Amino acid sequence: MAQVSLTFPDGNSRNFDKGITAAEVAASISTSLGKKAISATVNGAHWDLQWPIEADAAIAIHTMQDDAQALELIRHDLAHIMARAVQELWPDVKVTIGPVIKDGWYYDFDREEPFTPEDLGEIEAKMKEIINRRDPVTTEVWERDRAIAYYEANNEPYKVELVNAIPDDGQPIRMYWHGHWQDLCRGPHLQNTGQVPGNGFKLMSVAGAYWRGNSDNAMLQRIYGVGFKDPKALKAHLTMLEEAAKRDHRKLGREMDLFHMQEEAPGQIFWHPNGWKIYTTLQDYMRRQQDRDGYVEVNTPQVVNRKLWEASGHWDNYQENMFIVEVDEEHAREKTVNALKPMNCPCHVQVFNQGLKSYRDLPLRMAEFGSCNRYEPSGALHGIMRVRGFTQDDAHIFCEEKHIEAETKKFIEFLAGIYADLGFHDWSIKLSTRPEKRIGSEESWDHSEESLGNACKAAGYDYEIQEGEGAFYGPKLEFVLTDAIGREWQCGTLQVDPNLPERLDASYIGQDGAKHRPIMLHRAVVGSFERFIGILIEEHAGKLPFWLAPRQVVVTTIVSEADDYAQEVVAALKAAGVRAEADIRNEKINYKVREHSLAKVPVILAVGAREVEEKTVSVRRLGEKQTSVMSLSEITTELKDAALAPDLK
RNA sequence: GCUGCUGUAGCUCAGAGGUAGAGCACUCCCUUGGUAAGGGAGAGGUCGAGAGUUCAAUUCUCUCCAGCAGCACCA
């Protein structure tokens, strides 16, 4: 019999009969490993114990101790078990797909009536029952025709479509059985439903999802579940979700009195004094950074005639998402159709186009805190993170092709400094390359992609390539922040655009005396201020760094005899540039401390008879229980420094 | 935009076919209290908007608006 040579993680190799299964390999090593094995990795692929090994390979056997593999298998089996439970409860429901995702899985179903929360409870109970049956999980490879005939006979049209979609490139069409229940699946799976921890999962929610992710297709019902190895891990996950909910910017925005939104202006923000203080503090900081980095700041119109949007190409592509403002003939000589600007670039080109530009003017870095309005689909709106009215820290660098690399490097360094100042150290770069539908020559794509990659390397950063994800006119960099609870946010971006200067006829006079087209680099660091402030709030759970905190200090009185002194302390702090206010209300100190702590005021100063006498303050910092006594001059000096933005220290 | 859910006082929420309730917040009074809620009294709501069914609708039905979760979208 033919042999295969398998190499184990320790470097040793052994020969086995060709076609041996991973389970047999595990059992050949030791009886206990044979029992504990759950799957293998064969040549880098996660391998079902039942699958035969037909060629020489590197192999590693996994047990439940291997988290990555164990969780993948558990969640994958749970997806199947859930689908089976649903079909046992409601045999008419059609099954579609059910992949593993972060922390769990989902499965999409086609069913007339919506699933209710009560249904979820029933499904969960049925799943536990199935797990307790300890049914064997088995697998077979089928011919395509047989699979299609089977699914047609069973009235599972989605599965027929899936089988048909499997490319004819030799990959097996694999069937899995969990007991009598069957599903098309590429695997791998556990060997027995009883191996799935019956108390480590929970069904979380139902929501609509389009078949195959396409909004032209039918809407299915998706049930989400989370699954772990044991109830403790499940509990920890649920607790984490509760913690995340506590730092929701919409909740904190209300509690800290930062902003509100209301029906009459969906997707737009009413900033309250506290929130606006954060906004302007951040914007002032950004403006100083831009000034230092060689940008000029401009400001451009909000309401612009459609002619410009037609010329830029936005009218054709994004009309549906623009706020259209029509001025009728009663108000003007002739009817005009305008749109609120959804982006700033066409206006910036208009500024660039005023007067003749020389190659000596390039690179020209034109910045605007550009207020934009986009008619986002209603379902996309989310607190202040995704809105219809927002302001970008937008800028366009007009340059020559040869400038791209150096300008990009300069920008990455600029952005890195700002993220560091704002307390974000965990971020990464993604480089999106040429998509299938594109304009421009291959040479110019080569050059821009290479320039962006080189710039990242030159600035000392790695990047991940997103193949084909670039815009139709040029490649882009995306800068992705990871926040305190592991969520990713794309904030910064840099896009190479030779298209818009072409469409809007921007030019400069080159050294050769002839007209040339500049390239535009669209770039932003925070992206939208609204969204970025939302991220800041959630990152810090409302406890913003002192310099950004809208209310930095509250001076609370313990007895009313201290009222005058409290005002004196406030005056001293204000003179030092600290945002301070007095709380001389007739309330107990406990009450005031609680209230201001909940409002996330970073420093509470309490003053009573002793402090008045000694010209001191009792200092209580947010998050700390103990207090300390400092002289008025000491605390003023300290807070004066703390109140400065990082770039002013 | 799509699927589902939700909309009652400033906030968090209870309630029911016969035009509403709690806690906190708010106002006033008492209290001057040393670091996360002192006590008492009071005021406050066209029950998201419109239409329909009904003797009667905030409650049932429909339409619309907004929000939430997810999907799709994000120049």
Side-chain angles (χ1 to χ4, degrees):
Chain A
M1 189 158 199
Q3 299 269 297
V4 291
S5 165
L6 299 184
T7 307
F8 294 91
D10 63 7
N12 291 327
S13 294
R14 266 175 67 192
N15 287 341
F16 294 89
D17 289 343
K18 185 165 180 286
I20 191 169
T21 65
E24 289 161 348
V25 174
S28 80
I29 294 169
S30 75
T31 320
S32 70
L33 186 62
K35 281 185 188 153
K36 283 194 297 190
I38 53 168
S39 67
T41 293
V42 175
N43 280 343
H46 198 191
W47 203 264
D48 196 294
L49 289 181
Q50 297 175 46
W51 295 350
I53 300 166
E54 306 287 357
D56 292 355
I59 185 170
I61 305 290
H62 301 300
T63 67
M64 279 292 178
Q65 302 307 308
D66 298 315
D67 269 13
Q69 288 79 14
L71 288 172
E72 187 191 324
L73 292 170
I74 288 168
R75 289 165 185 165
H76 202 165
D77 277 288
L78 280 164
H80 282 231
I81 291 167
M82 181 172 82
R84 176 178 174 186
V86 166
Q87 286 200 316
E88 285 189 16
L89 288 165
W90 301 280
D92 291 343
V93 174
K94 298 189 185 2
V95 289
T96 68
I97 54 163
V100 172
I101 53 173
K102 188 172 187 292
D103 303 322
W105 76 93
Y106 66 77
Y107 207 110
D108 288 348
F109 300 96
D110 184 8
R111 179 194 189 214
E112 284 292 314
E113 318 79 63
F115 287 110
T116 64
E118 294 72 54
D119 291 342
L120 292 192
E122 262 189 77
I123 298 167
E124 246 177 51
K126 179 63 83 176
M127 288 171 71
K128 287 180 180 166
E129 188 192 314
I130 292 169
I131 289 168
N132 286 332
R133 288 183 210 153
R134 306 186 59 81
D135 284 328
V137 178
T138 54
T139 180
E140 280 176 18
V141 174
W142 280 17
E143 291 302 316
R144 185 182 303 264
D145 292 348
R146 184 181 172 200
I148 290 171
Y150 178 87
Y151 282 124
E152 280 174 346
N154 283 284
N155 194 22
E156 294 284 7
Y158 297 96
K159 290 293 177 188
V160 173
E161 205 178 320
L162 288 175
V163 174
N164 277 320
I166 296 174
D168 199 8
D169 59 359
Q171 68 170 292
I173 293 172
R174 199 174 277 286
M175 296 294 177
Y176 267 90
W177 276 263
H178 283 68
H180 295 298
W181 191 81
Q182 181 277 358
D183 201 356
L184 172 75
C185 183
R186 64 168 65 94
H189 277 285
L190 291 165
Q191 302 305 296
N192 174 316
T193 59
Q195 285 176 286
V196 175
N199 49 10
F201 76 92
K202 183 171 162 59
L203 302 189
M204 303 298 285
S205 60
V206 191
Y210 297 109
W211 167 237
R212 313 202 97 193
N214 185 333
S215 57
D216 295 331
N217 291 343
M219 174 131 317
L220 306 169
Q221 296 190 61
R222 175 173 297 178
I223 303 180
Y224 285 90
V226 293
F228 298 90
K229 289 203 278 190
D230 53 55
K232 229 171 102 183
L234 173 64
K235 182 88 195 319
H237 180 254
L238 297 177
T239 305
M240 190 275 291
L241 290 181
E242 280 170 31
E243 290 304 312
K246 279 186 205 158
R247 51 172 79 209
D248 189 304
H249 74 280
R250 293 165 296 191
K251 181 175 148 72
L252 288 169
R254 196 164 42 238
E255 288 172 2
M256 296 169 70
D257 195 15
L258 303 179
F259 57 83
H260 86 273
M261 304 175 89
Q262 62 186 53
E263 262 190 46
E264 290 81 353
Q268 314 221 55
I269 305 168
F270 293 80
W271 285 103
H272 295 11
N274 288 340
W276 192 243
K277 187 49 78 179
I278 301 174
Y279 193 110
T280 53
T281 303
L282 183 60
Q283 196 172 69
D284 291 346
Y285 163 82
M286 290 300 296
R287 177 171 281 125
R288 288 193 302 272
Q289 297 301 316
Q290 288 177 2
D291 285 349
R292 278 181 205 151
D293 218 47
Y295 288 82
V296 289
E297 187 176 331
V298 299
N299 193 265
T300 59
Q302 295 298 314
V303 182
V304 178
N305 194 288
R306 68 182 273 183
K307 287 179 205 157
L308 182 63
W309 307 115
E310 282 166 354
S312 69
H314 292 103
W315 191 262
D316 279 346
N317 289 316
Y318 295 106
Q319 198 185 142
E320 294 299 303
N321 295 306
M322 286 161 78
F323 279 97
I324 310 294
V325 183
E326 294 195 19
V327 180
D328 66 32
E329 286 155 48
E330 284 186 34
H331 295 89
R333 283 228 183 85
E334 50 183 314
K335 181 168 166 162
T336 58
V337 178
N338 310 282
L340 295 183
K341 72 173 170 187
M343 53 190 335
N344 308 297
C345 23
C347 291
H348 286 189
V349 177
Q350 306 313 303
V351 177
F352 182 87
N353 283 354
Q354 291 301 114
L356 278 183
K357 293 290 180 298
S358 151
Y359 72 96
R360 294 172 195 278
D361 297 321
L362 307 185
L364 173 58
R365 307 184 192 94
M366 189 184 291
E368 176 173 3
F369 294 121
S371 208
C372 296
N373 290 274
R374 295 180 185 173
Y375 191 80
E376 300 285 8
S378 57
L381 302 179
H382 178 84
I384 65 172
M385 301 287 211
R386 187 83 183 269
V387 287
R388 289 183 176 154
F390 57 96
T391 301
Q392 296 172 310
D393 67 317
D394 200 7
H396 296 95
I397 303 172
F398 294 87
C399 62
E400 300 179 54
E401 210 169 45
K402 67 179 186 202
H403 292 133
I404 296 176
E405 187 173 325
E407 283 302 310
T408 303
K409 173 170 182 277
K410 181 178 167 68
F411 174 68
I412 295 171
E413 285 161 352
F414 178 66
L415 170 141
I418 291 168
Y419 284 180
D421 275 354
L422 294 172
F424 291 101
H425 299 282
D426 189 3
W427 55 274
S428 62
I429 308 181
K430 291 180 180 162
L431 167 58
S432 299
T433 58
R434 68 196 81 184
E436 278 190 24
K437 278 182 73 177
R438 60 177 179 267
I439 59 168
S441 68
E442 292 309 291
E443 297 78 62
S444 81
W445 275 97
D446 288 343
H447 179 263
S448 343
E449 287 174 3
E450 206 183 301
S451 301
L452 295 189
N454 287 345
C456 292
K457 284 180 231 151
Y461 294 94
D462 261 341
Y463 54 89
E464 180 192 323
I465 291 186
Q466 293 185 305
E467 209 71 59
E469 294 293 311
F472 70 91
Y473 49 76
K476 65 176 172 185
L477 295 178
E478 289 178 0
F479 301 86
V480 181
L481 292 179
T482 304
D483 74 13
I485 52 175
R487 289 171 304 185
E488 293 196 339
W489 301 97
Q490 193 230 302
C491 295
T493 181
L494 181 142
Q495 287 193 39
V496 181
D497 183 3
N499 178 55
L500 198 62
E502 178 76 32
R503 293 194 69 121
L504 298 178
D505 194 27
S507 64
Y508 65 92
I509 308 297
Q511 209 164 357
D512 56 4
K515 269 194 180 180
H516 296 276
R517 269 299 161 235
I519 300 268
M520 273 173 97
L521 303 179
H522 306 253
R523 43 107 298 172
V525 178
V526 303
S528 115
F529 278 95
E530 289 73 6
R531 205 160 86 94
F532 197 82
I533 290 170
I535 294 167
L536 275 174
I537 293 167
E538 299 200 355
E539 158 80 7
H540 296 288
K543 297 171 190 166
L544 294 169
F546 194 80
W547 71 281
L548 278 172
R551 300 165 68 211
Q552 295 171 321
V553 180
V554 174
V555 183
T556 60
T557 49
I558 296 167
V559 291
S560 52
E561 280 74 44
D563 288 0
D564 290 344
Y565 179 61
Q567 302 290 8
E568 196 183 310
V569 174
V570 166
L573 289 168
K574 278 187 169 171
V578 178
R579 294 188 282 275
E581 55 196 75
D583 180 0
I584 59 169
R585 289 176 306 167
N586 175 14
E587 295 291 352
K588 289 201 167 177
I589 187 66
N590 292 307
Y591 183 93
K592 296 184 188 181
V593 165
R594 174 181 153 83
E595 189 176 284
H596 299 126
S597 297
L598 288 174
K600 314 278 193 283
V601 176
V603 174
I604 298 171
L605 301 181
V607 292
R610 272 206 304 279
E611 286 77 12
V612 174
E613 185 65 30
E614 296 163 1
K615 292 287 174 202
T616 56
V617 292
S618 165
V619 185
R620 185 185 169 116
R621 295 167 207 276
L622 187 58
E624 291 175 18
K625 197 117 180 75
Q626 79 281 20
T627 60
S628 56
V629 175
M630 293 173 78
S631 74
L632 178 55
S633 65
E634 276 172 342
I635 192 72
T636 308
T637 308
E638 182 200 315
L639 296 182
K640 180 179 181 175
D641 184 63
L644 290 173
D647 63 313
L648 296 177
K649 284 188 182 173

